[in-house]
Amino acid sequence: ATVSLSSLTAVLPDALALFADVLTRPDFPPAELERQRARRLVRLRQLSDQPQHVAQLAVQRALFGGHPYGHPSIGTPDGLGAITLDDVRELWRALFVPANTRLVVVGDTTPEALRPLLERALGGWRWRPAPSIDLPLPAQVTERTVYLVDRPGAAQSIVTLAQIGVARATPDWALIQVLNNGLGGAFVSRLNLNLREDKGYTYGARSLFQAGRVPGAFTAGAPVATAVTGAAVTEILKELEGVAGARPLAEAEVAYARGTIANGYPRRFESQRGIAQALAEVALYGLPDDTLESFVDQVSAAD
């Protein structure tokens, strides 16, 4: 959960007072709950007609089952309908406590200038113990299974191959990014060159590691014409088995992946918001303090 503020430095004291009011003394009007519920239900109906979203839900359920990662973050119609104002208030009381919070500030200020402002705004925030958030490790896929969501008349199939991947705190994160860039994380990756450039099955194929506090999903796939659904599955499997076996990434592919990642890395820090988000990720996942500075060196050392 994130509460964020963007403000001019000149009015930061007043802005922090409003920020603290929202964070520590929120008002949950009944009418606002109903407005948000209605908006979310409309969004769910819209998403139910989008094949990519339907496929994503199917992957979550197939991989994670009853694990928290198996539940859609946007909710379900039944779940949204059951939420009460007391549920919202209780969740805020449990989660929004100082012991469960990390504060990230990026801007034209210093710790010496900022500390008294923060003490004035947040000094009265009542201490409560941090909640215990103990995520179980998801069980890895042990056999090959096909799940089909039947959409009669669909012009395309969303093909996704998935298994449990890694946690964000893995020490191999930079190495995994290089591997994924060569496999399916870039336009000239193997998956895209095969399914788009060579076969003409899709406008774009990709692979992705979704890493959280515990291992998330690794997915590889593409939207393809219905008539080539089976052939696309065969080609994706071939690329996955090849990169893990007889056809590991060649030296030129690794070098290109390293350069692409390293050269694109500074874009993440072009804005103050981008810097804040990167620092928040370090805090959220308990990463080493030098994570952001050392990433490019780790990428460059990948082979």
Side-chain angles (χ1 to χ4, degrees), residues 174 265 269 288-301:
Y265 189 62
F269 309 102
D289 290 343
D290 68 344
T291 292
L292 302 181
E293 293 86 352
S294 65
F295 179 71
V296 170
D297 289 339
Q298 294 175 13
V299 166
S300 299

Side-chain angles (χ1 to χ4, degrees), residues 42-93:
V42 168
R43 182 60 179 152
L44 276 177
R45 287 194 291 271
Q46 294 170 336
L47 290 173
S48 67
D49 288 328
Q50 297 182 14
Q52 289 280 14
H53 178 73
V54 175
Q56 178 184 337
L57 292 184
V59 168
Q60 282 184 261
R61 292 169 184 154
L63 273 186
F64 297 105
H67 188 279
Y69 286 3
H71 301 300
S73 59
I74 193 173
T76 64
D78 288 343
L80 290 168
I83 292 173
T84 68
L85 208 56
D86 285 341
D87 293 329
V88 175
R89 292 191 179 107
E90 186 55 39
L91 188 67
W92 170 79
R93 289 191 192 99

Side-chain angles (χ1 to χ4, degrees), residues 65-293:
H67 188 279
Y69 286 3
H71 301 300
S73 59
I74 193 173
T76 64
D78 288 343
L80 290 168
I83 292 173
T84 68
L85 208 56
D86 285 341
D87 293 329
V88 175
R89 292 191 179 107
E90 186 55 39
L91 188 67
W92 170 79
R93 289 191 192 99
L95 294 183
F96 285 77
V97 298
N100 192 41
T101 305
R102 300 295 181 269
L103 181 66
V104 177
V105 181
V106 179
D108 182 15
T109 187
T110 65
E112 293 74 23
L114 193 62
R115 188 172 290 111
L117 300 180
L118 293 173
E119 288 176 351
R120 190 177 308 132
L122 296 170
W125 193 6
R126 191 177 68 181
W127 186 91
R128 291 193 300 272
S132 174
I133 304 175
D134 187 18
L135 286 174
L137 289 174
Q140 182 57 276
V141 175
T142 57
E143 60 184 20
R144 187 171 294 175
T145 306
V146 176
Y147 297 89
L148 174 66
V149 180
D150 190 12
R151 308 275 286 195
Q156 282 190 324
S157 297
I158 307 297
V159 176
T160 306
L161 280 70
Q163 65 179 49
I164 304 298
V166 298
R168 176 60 185 88
T170 175
D172 294 325
W173 183 249
L175 185 63
I176 286 169
Q177 298 313 299
V178 173
L179 167 64
N180 188 66
N181 188 281
L183 172 63
F187 185 83
V188 295
S189 64
R190 287 187 178 184
L191 283 172
N192 203 54
L193 290 177
N194 182 337
L195 273 75
R196 175 190 162 106
E197 300 300 298
D198 183 38
K199 303 296 190 306
Y201 291 165
T202 181
Y203 283 112
R206 66 181 307 219
S207 60
L208 177 68
F209 283 88
Q210 296 172 304
R213 294 181 63 176
V214 297
F218 165 74
T219 57
V224 301
T226 301
V228 297
T229 301
V233 172
T234 298
E235 292 302 319
I236 296 171
L237 277 171
K238 183 181 78 174
E239 296 298 346
L240 293 177
E241 291 169 346
V243 80
R247 294 178 56 239
L249 293 181
E251 184 176 341
E253 291 175 296
V254 173
Y256 183 87
R258 287 194 303 246
T260 300
I261 296 171
N263 291 334
Y265 189 62
R267 289 199 300 268
R268 189 175 186 189
F269 309 102
E270 287 179 336
S271 68
Q272 295 187 97
R273 183 177 298 276
I275 297 170
Q277 289 173 341
L279 291 170
E281 182 178 305
V282 172
L284 177 63
Y285 296 116
L287 305 178
D289 290 343
D290 68 344
T291 292
L292 302 181
E293 293 86 352

